[in-house]
Amino acid sequence: MAEYLSPGVYVEEFESGAKPLEGVSTSTAGFIGLAARGPVSGLPLLITSPADFARAFGSYLSESAFGTYRYLAYAVNQFFMNGGSRCYVMRVAPEDAKAASGGGEVLSVTAKNPGAWGNQIRLSFVPASKAKTQIYEELDGNRYRVKNASAFYPGDVVVFTDGASKQGNTVVSVHDGVIELASALSGDVTDTSLVPSKVIATSEFTLQVAYGTESETYEKASLNPEAPNYVEKLVGRSNLVDLSVVAASSADAPYALIAGSAGGESYSFALAGGSDGSASSLSPADFIGVDEGPGRRTGIQSFIDNDVVSIMAIPGVTDPNVQLSLVAHCESLGSRFAILDLPREATKVQDVLAHRDLFDSSYCALYNPWLQVFDPLDKRNIFIPPSGTIAGVYSRSDSTRGVQKAPANETLRGVVGLDVQYNNGEQDVLNPAGVNLIRAFTGQGIRVWGARTCSSNPIWKYINVRRLFIFLESSIKNGSNWVVFEPNTEQLWARVQRTIDAFLTRVWRDGALAGTSPSEAFYINIGRDTMTQDDIDSGRLICVIGVAPVKPAEFVVFRMTQKTGSE
């Protein structure tokens, strides 16, 4: 309670009405797969365009080297072509993939992540100096009063020059404009003239790291760990390499130590030994990933730390262990939906059904067949798995119509053909089983012609119903954090009910809920009908919400009869 100690007028603000509750995004996709470069552990990277993907993960992989594991780049490109706006990507690398490395006796440099891409990284070194000054007075004990000592640090290698000769040394301490060196300088070193000819300067180098069109420059880097421009600190923010100092105890100039006898006005070297690995060394464990704690997760596990993604796919990977792990991941989080591919060789109805029978979940959907698209790498048409394209269709449908619209009867952009042409009789068998076919219709292009999950529960038969509930549950969860630790009283219950009622009314008006009025579309129960005194004493607030989702008109039936003249 506020204190009122002196007479006056007090104005206080308080909240009494409903809090705005915003709907979460349902169109952000998450992809996992092989790439030419990119991190293999940590957090998935946000990608907003195909060009963004190329910068972070490189270009397309060759079919001869990686076969059916190479489709991540194609899937991401199809995702954006078909209406996707943003996705998160996590790279998987074979166990025998190696990072390129190089350096020498002074520096150890390694490419940021494994892959042959690192062999194209080149490091260039040029001598530099961050500070120089003149010596005003020579003191006892190897100490010298200088004009400006602000940029000198203990451990810095310095060079004194009088125009004719040079002397190397090391800074021991710096205090009040006085620099103490490891050893005394010889000769007359003082110079008080306006334009000095005798100066003492620090010795550093400028490092440039180049890869293709990418370039990083670290100016006036030092081998002195005590200096703020220590090379390890500067290169620590690099997107291309990891660098560490192996040995730098010599008093020689850093550039001379690094370049050695090959040094001149500049020195450079390229990394080597990087390898993409082989497809034969890949296993389901590489895609499933490991959980070694925050920031160190790989594969599917890396998306545990991501609460934005709502659509998941591992393009072209049809191993049951991987796909079942992806479905389990979506089910355990309850906030995302998995799009699954079928093996390309599974074209016959019985083979498709055999793979379909592995799944029973409302958090995933199967699509077949594979799609024919143009390959920019080989300059020819190839067949790719449909998951990336379908994820783009989901995103486009969500943006234009809403998550309540079944992502079906939608055209596929950038697709010129199908691997298999299924007919109505074959779809009569596959559709009830929960396999969504992609079909070509005369004059209508290639379209998604199915909207079913892999669930045996008829309540969760349709994709849009499950994704609508994901949207509602995530939105209410994210928008209700303000309730936690509030007094569990009737006033709070009323505010919660008003907040959710306003949100669901807006969802109903958008056409996501059935009914001619809000009362027919949903109900909200909170209070003594949903909570006992024990619930309240245990700190629980229970709100029961019922909604009537719209269902797609999957079967359109026109019943016709003959009208006679007497009728």
Side-chain angles (χ1 to χ4, degrees), residues 167-179:
Q167 302 179 52
N169 221 311
T170 304
V171 176
V172 175
S173 65
V174 180
H175 183 68
D176 288 342
V178 175
I179 295 177

Side-chain angles (χ1 to χ4, degrees), residues 538-556:
S538 300
R540 291 189 288 266
L541 186 153
I542 300 173
C543 180
V544 178
I545 303 170
V547 298
V550 294
K551 307 289 178 64
E554 187 179 16
F555 309 103
V556 180

Side-chain angles (χ1 to χ4, degrees), residues 333-472:
L333 293 182
S335 61
R336 53 196 58 169
F337 191 86
I339 301 175
L340 306 180
D341 297 314
L342 278 97
R344 186 182 174 187
E345 61 272 13
T347 57
K348 296 181 180 179
V349 172
Q350 58 268 31
D351 295 335
V352 173
L353 292 176
H355 193 84
R356 158 66 184 92
D357 290 341
L358 298 172
F359 310 96
D360 185 5
S361 172
S362 65
Y363 285 87
C364 67
L366 277 166
Y367 288 87
N368 207 37
W370 284 36
L371 312 175
Q372 189 178 43
V373 301
F374 181 73
D375 183 6
L377 181 65
D378 294 336
K379 304 296 187 294
R380 62 184 177 87
N381 288 339
I382 62 169
F383 291 99
I384 67 169
S387 55
T389 308
I390 299 300
V393 171
Y394 278 23
S395 180
R396 184 175 79 213
S397 179
D398 290 355
S399 300
T400 58
R401 298 289 301 277
V403 71
Q404 73 276 3
K405 163 68 171 63
N409 199 5
E410 299 280 348
T411 58
L412 303 187
R413 302 171 183 169
V415 177
V416 298
L418 300 174
D419 193 24
V420 180
Q421 295 281 357
Y422 289 99
N423 58 34
N424 287 339
E426 291 162 334
Q427 188 163 19
D428 288 345
V429 177
L430 295 175
N431 189 69
V435 178
N436 302 308
L437 294 184
I438 302 168
R439 299 183 60 185
F441 297 97
T442 303
Q444 301 180 56
I446 298 174
R447 293 176 176 262
V448 183
W449 210 244
R452 296 202 176 194
T453 69
C454 294
S455 176
S456 61
N457 187 343
I459 296 177
W460 303 107
K461 177 169 59 176
Y462 294 113
I463 294 171
N464 62 299
V465 174
R466 166 46 70 196
R467 297 189 66 234
L468 174 63
F469 269 78
I470 290 175
F471 166 74
L472 295 176

Side-chain angles (χ1 to χ4, degrees), residues 107 123-127 205-207 255 258 265-269:
L107 298 179
L123 288 82
S124 301
F125 301 82
V126 177
F205 57 91
T206 294
L207 168 62
Y255 174 77
I258 296 171
E265 293 185 359
S266 65
Y267 169 70
S268 64
F269 65 86

Side-chain angles (χ1 to χ4, degrees), residues 300 319-329 340 358-360:
I300 297 173
D319 185 284
N321 299 291
V322 177
Q323 291 187 326
L324 287 170
S325 296
L326 181 64
V327 174
H329 168 81
L340 306 180
L358 298 172
F359 310 96
D360 185 5

